[in-house]
Amino acid sequence: MTELTQLSISEAKRLLENKECSALELTQAHLAAIDQASDLNAFSVQTPDLARKMAAASDKRRSEGQVGLLEGIPIGVKDLFCTKGVKSTSCSHILDGFVPPYESTVSANLFAQGAVMIGKTNMDEFAMGSANTNSYEGPVKNPYKRTSDGAQVVPGGSSGGSAAAVSAYLCMGALGSDTGGSVRQPASFCGNVGVKPTYGRCSRWGMIAFASSLDQAGVFARSVDDSALILEAICGHDAKDSTSSTKEIPPFSKHVTADVKGKRIGVPKEYHQEGMPEQIEKLWQQGIEWLKAAGAEIVDISLPHTKYALPVYYIIAPAEASSNLARYDGVRYGLRVAPQGCSLDDMYELTRSQGFGDEVKRRIMIGTYVLSAGYYDAYYKKAQRIRTLIARDFEEAFGKVDAIVTPTTPTPAFAFGEKQDPLTMYLNDVFTVPASLAGLPGMSVPVGYSDDGLPLGLQIISNRFDEVGMFNVAKTLEEAAQFESKIKGVAA
Ligand code: GLN
């Protein structure tokens, strides 16, 4: 069944349509692959029985002539999406045993188009992290290893489970969430396509909140076409999310071309970082050449407030997190640590100190600090002002260009234990955070390998609601780069 797991979504759709395989067979092949790749720890909740049930229901629908956009396609769902009747903990101890009685809008949209949930994917606790080393369910491994020393490298985070699962052929696509880069960075580290749409394209209803003004659902896939298909399935207005957009959603998958003739592509000078590995600079240049050869015009641009993006993000995101995570107190759901005779305050304290991991506690403390009476103006308010300036930089840039191309990350995937200190870890997000702060769509497309055999991606940022423009640049790069996975056959 090896070959079934290695199909693209469009190939799988064709096979299903021609009755050359059933959704149940496709699902079984992926479940077998998951069993064989348990070492990656990509899934935090396995749902094989449910997957088989969903696949059988899909086969039945198909036999009755009902065929959704993703009919019968096995998709992984990040554990941050509430899934009805299936444990959803955002990989935190504090949500132990939480089984939502409702379905998130994004996963409901996915299933309404016929997709089969193959399992819940592992992630950094509450989506805080860049290496998937902050999960209560244990770390995820990148299916790639460094060639020079064979070191096991991280998959990136926080959607590391989704990224690893897609690259290891454990599912055909996966849902992720991107607050400051959690789809784009792991996609780059694992060698697949990761898309974060415009803020507001996807409903946040039923997504376990991290930082609400930044959180946005996103997708992983092994090709630009496949990613467009999944994104098309999950986007849509939702009255249950007041920030959900009412803008019309073009059928992304039908509009993906590699036509960038006459398009102006911006190259921001601030993204040339000191100490960035030469290979990354080289691939960036190569990407620019490919776009030029495809008829695009390259324009040097400046995004002058870029250097403030990371500090601003690490004030705003923790501030919102400290407020969002205040609801976990042992009262309503999840973990409750309340030894006999303890007071209410004791219960709060014990539950929160045992329920949250170190990184989450760090963010809650930073967030509470920057929101506190004496520091609000100096930190939070100032950060909000600079956020506006960052958004304005992009607005100006999009007066001159149609899309922006940058590296996705300043380094390839690193080995476990190599970036222990939180600040070094935060630097991973230096290229992804600005678009998040501005609410813009961004995606990563794999274009090559480091000298050490690790995948590298380029990031494309486009104007608000111009996902189609972004996909077209991505497809041009994909066609030129001819990136070939080196994982073929390992897991299946
Ligand atoms: N790595 C970033 C962080 O730790 C981004 C996380 C995310 O996008 N969810 O906050």
Side-chain angles (χ1 to χ4, degrees), residues 194-366:
V195 189
K196 176 195 102 74
T198 310
Y199 182 81
R201 273 287 198 210
C202 292
S203 168
R204 286 181 295 109
W205 196 79
M207 282 173 73
I208 297 172
F210 163 13
S212 310
S213 77
L214 296 153
D215 294 346
Q216 188 57 204
V219 307
F220 292 89
R222 290 190 294 264
S223 72
V224 175
D225 284 335
D226 285 1
S227 72
L229 208 56
I230 307 174
L231 190 69
E232 190 177 324
I234 64 171
C235 284
H237 174 66
D238 181 8
K240 292 192 290 245
D241 171 4
S242 62
T243 59
S244 156
S245 157
T246 51
K247 268 239 181 253
E248 197 194 323
I249 295 148
F252 301 128
S253 62
K254 294 202 181 69
H255 287 294
V256 184
T257 65
D259 186 5
V260 293
K261 217 167 271 150
K263 295 283 177 207
R264 288 156 308 165
I265 309 291
V267 178
K269 66 168 192 255
E270 291 78 6
Y271 282 59
H272 292 281
Q273 295 267 322
E274 219 180 290
M276 193 157 76
E278 216 186 291
Q279 305 144 315
I280 295 188
E281 276 287 348
K282 252 178 34 203
L283 264 176
W284 190 12
Q285 276 316 312
Q286 175 68 260
I288 292 167
E289 293 306 322
W290 284 328
L291 291 169
K292 239 194 247 172
E297 184 193 332
I298 305 300
V299 183
D300 288 325
I301 58 166
S302 170
L303 299 166
H305 296 91
T306 299
K307 63 172 179 290
Y308 301 116
L310 213 51
V312 161
Y313 172 85
Y314 278 98
I315 290 173
I316 292 175
E320 294 184 17
S322 72
S323 163
N324 274 327
L325 271 53
R327 76 190 72 180
Y328 306 112
D329 53 9
V331 176
R332 290 181 203 82
Y333 26 55
L335 182 75
R336 173 180 297 172
V337 186
Q340 254 216 322
C342 81
S343 69
L344 184 63
D345 279 348
D346 289 342
M347 180 186 81
Y348 291 157
E349 203 175 308
L350 288 167
T351 303
R352 287 172 69 83
S353 57
Q354 291 180 32
F356 291 131
D358 287 350
E359 182 59 27
V360 174
K361 284 182 188 157
R362 186 175 298 123
R363 307 262 181 132
I364 292 174
M365 283 191 283
I366 295 172

Side-chain angles (χ1 to χ4, degrees), residues 127-130 158 177-182 210 313-314 363 429:
M128 299 176 192
S130 307
S158 64
S177 71
D178 191 311
T179 302
S182 277
F210 163 13
Y313 172 85
Y314 278 98
R363 307 262 181 132
D429 308 324

Side-chain angles (χ1 to χ4, degrees), residues 36-50:
Q36 283 177 44
S38 57
D39 179 50
L40 295 178
N41 201 23
F43 288 85
S44 54
V45 185
Q46 303 222 10
T47 55
D49 293 341
L50 177 64

Side-chain angles (χ1 to χ4, degrees), residues 153-175:
V153 297
V154 303
S158 64
S159 316
S162 292
V166 168
S167 282
Y169 300 95
L170 311 185
C171 48
M172 297 191 143
L175 296 185

